[in-house]
Amino acid sequence: MTELSGGPALPQERRVVTAIPGPKSQELWARKQNTVAAGVGAVLPVFVKRAGGGVLEDVDGNSLIDFGSGIAVTSVGNSAEAVVRRATAQLADFTHTCAMVTPYESYVEVCELLAELTPGDHAKKSALFNSGAEAVENAVKIARAYTKRQAVVVFDHGYHGRTNLTMALTAKNMPYKHGFGPFAPEVYRVPVAYPYRWLTGPENCAQEAAEQVITQITKQIGAENVAAIIIEPVLGEGGFIEPAKGFLPAVANFAKENGIVFVADEIQSGFCRTGQWFACEDEGVVPDLITTAKGIAGGLPLAAVTGRAEIMDAAHAGGLGGTYGGNPVACAAAVGSIETMRELDLNAKAKRIEEVMKGRLTALQEKFDIIGEVRGRGAMIAIELVKSGSKDPNPEATGAIAKACHQEGLLVLTTGTFGNVLRFLPPLVIGEDLLNEGLDILEGAFGAL
């Protein structure tokens, strides 16, 4: 076996030895421009050579602090030991048979772990796929098969993928939907309880938003026509919005009372990211179906729909699947990823990251009035930037701060419907020294704005 050069053994230090991007990255970027479709962009055009723990090392020898985790994918760190060990062993045995042709144990093992870890003590089953969008799309298929209904309800600021159906479910036009229609029908959008921007104030948000949702569904769609209500317990691409407390339980109860399948999209928020295995646990919400991907397999492509056995069994044999869905190498990696989460108690580590980040960011908010709100849970933290003296979104400052951080060797991501949110998704294994160094860089970027 080739000696590993990345992973946990990679030196955990920030190191900036060239301009970012450096000359080798620029050369590779030029090659990319010649052969890769223009629609495939990049937040930061540095080409990674090795990664592990809380750092990314590029081809020019720069070592960047990672506050992105590949968009919440490498929560256990890049090339985590158990992930590499199990995936390597599986590679040596076989790479693929197609689970729909000749199955294998690791597919079953992942489904057993999902039944154990997801909320609720009811009988559960799962189906495995490749991506979050696939998982959401199949959750809709399953809900429609079970209820014999067609309508699907989603929320303002929600994001669910880039396939045709999931583009219809997604709220934001640019860059996800613009020019790609027409979209799938029978999709209806309702308000979400966004406390910071609720017109009558955060104290009224949960009740008023839930009342609006229920009224719109009953009057405009008809609850008896709704197959599924789909929501992210923490809205990711919408800006790391935490719905006001009480909103999710109210919507889930309405769904239960009306025979509607309640789907929690935990693709970005799941697997210890918020300090709990799944974000919906925060208010004791038990979804009928839960979609997962991103953090499940330590960087390998895997996704799942998990839910009540009677709902999952509604689709006919052959109705669910896909050539690569539940690939054995990805399944082995998922077992290793979950093993790592348990052994290192990554829920506790996520809570500690929240404690450190919120403390530092709240202090930063007191110094800079363009920080309108600090929010999030665990290692899923964000700051919303506004124009001084108002709540008007400030995407220009957001972009400038991100760029300044990148130049200093800190990878940060932007998000939000208005493009005015800085989101932080560090690997859950990041060292506290690197975490604080990254926050120092962020503070310096605000000071220089």
Side-chain angles (χ1 to χ4, degrees):
M1 178 177 163
T2 303
E3 186 177 347
L4 300 178
S5 61
L10 194 64
Q12 296 298 290
E13 61 183 17
R14 180 178 67 101
R15 185 175 62 252
V16 179
V17 296
T18 73
I20 297 176
K24 292 181 180 178
S25 281
Q26 292 181 43
E27 182 181 339
L28 285 166
W29 184 256
R31 287 171 56 189
K32 176 186 180 293
Q33 300 291 82
N34 288 333
T35 56
V36 178
V40 182
V43 171
L44 177 58
V46 298
F47 284 74
V48 175
K49 183 178 181 180
R50 302 187 298 176
V55 297
L56 306 167
E57 185 180 291
D58 72 11
V59 292
D60 289 288
N62 299 298
S63 179
L64 285 68
I65 299 173
D66 182 11
F67 274 16
S69 299
I71 316 182
V73 169
T74 54
S75 296
V76 296
N78 259 288
S79 299
E81 186 277 330
V83 172
V84 173
R85 169 169 42 84
R86 289 180 177 273
T88 301
Q90 181 58 59
L91 278 166
D93 288 341
F94 62 94
T95 56
H96 180 72
T97 65
C98 185
M100 300 182 300
V101 178
T102 52
Y104 32 87
E105 184 180 0
S106 58
Y107 189 114
V108 178
E109 188 174 3
V110 170
C111 293
E112 289 171 339
L113 287 167
L114 286 165
E116 177 187 349
L117 294 171
T118 52
D121 57 5
H122 50 274
K124 301 171 198 168
K125 292 189 177 182
S126 294
L128 304 183
F129 306 97
N130 301 293
S131 69
E134 269 190 84
V136 172
E137 191 141 334
N138 278 278
V140 171
K141 288 167 57 177
I142 293 163
R144 284 173 168 168
Y146 178 72
T147 61
K148 313 301 183 198
R149 304 172 181 177
Q150 293 185 337
V152 179
V153 173
V154 290
F155 292 81
D156 287 341
H157 308 287
Y159 175 86
H160 301 287
R162 298 173 185 259
T163 60
N164 186 267
L165 174 57
T166 56
M167 280 192 294
L169 302 176
T170 291
K172 190 175 180 180
N173 174 50
M174 182 63 79
Y176 306 117
K177 303 167 70 167
H178 186 74
F180 297 143
F183 303 115
E186 288 297 317
V187 173
Y188 301 88
R189 195 169 314 284
V190 294
V192 75
Y194 187 168
Y196 181 67
R197 295 196 171 276
W198 198 255
L199 290 178
T200 61
E203 66 279 5
N204 302 312
C205 184
Q207 181 179 343
E208 291 180 359
E211 288 173 353
Q212 288 185 28
V213 167
I214 291 167
T215 298
Q216 283 188 224
I217 292 174
T218 55
K219 301 302 182 185
Q220 297 180 21
I221 310 165
E224 68 277 10
N225 297 316
V226 179
I229 295 174
I230 306 174
I231 190 168
E232 303 160 274
V234 178
L235 282 74
E237 302 302 309
F240 283 22
I241 300 164
E242 288 187 90
K245 299 296 185 190
F247 177 75
L248 285 175
V251 175
N253 288 337
F254 172 78
K256 183 177 182 180
E257 290 168 358
N258 289 275
I260 299 167
V261 176
F262 183 79
V263 182
D265 180 341
E266 292 261 14
I267 287 158
Q268 190 164 169
S269 60
F271 289 102
C272 305
R273 178 50 60 180
T274 63
Q276 294 167 296
W277 281 101
F278 299 97
C280 59
E281 296 177 73
D282 185 62
E283 293 187 86
V285 172
V286 178
D288 298 309
L289 301 179
I290 186 166
T291 59
T292 54
K294 290 191 183 294
I296 190 173
L300 276 74
L302 188 68
V305 182
T306 303
R308 298 183 184 277
E310 67 274 18
I311 299 176
M312 292 297 299
D313 282 343
H316 54 272
L320 303 178
T323 301
Y324 293 107
N327 171 269
V329 181
C331 285
V335 175
S337 182
I338 292 168
E339 175 187 327
T340 304
M341 291 173 190
R342 284 174 152 164
E343 287 187 356
L344 299 182
D345 192 0
L346 292 190
N347 279 316
K349 289 189 179 296
K351 290 175 182 175
R352 176 57 184 161
I353 289 169
E354 175 184 349
E355 183 181 2
V356 172
M357 294 199 80
K358 278 195 169 177
R360 293 284 306 270
L361 294 172
T362 300
L364 206 59
Q365 184 182 22
E366 293 173 358
K367 292 174 62 177
F368 300 100
D369 67 353
I370 64 169
I371 300 178
E373 185 176 44
V374 177
R375 58 175 178 255
R377 296 203 305 271
M380 190 173 184
I381 303 294
I383 52 177
E384 179 161 355
L385 302 191
V386 294
K387 295 178 180 176
S388 295
S390 74
K391 286 190 177 182
D392 293 343
N394 195 340
E396 298 82 11
T398 307
I401 293 289
K403 184 176 180 181
C405 288
H406 295 165
Q407 294 301 307
E408 293 297 319
L410 171 66
L411 175 64
V412 297
L413 306 174
T414 61
T415 190
T417 299
F418 310 108
N420 68 320
V421 176
L422 285 164
R423 58 174 162 174
F424 309 111
L425 293 161
L428 304 182
V429 296
I430 192 171
E432 207 162 304
D433 53 345
L434 278 180
L435 185 64
N436 275 301
E437 186 176 358
L439 292 166
D440 289 342
I441 292 168
L442 180 68
E443 183 170 358
F446 272 96
L449 191 65

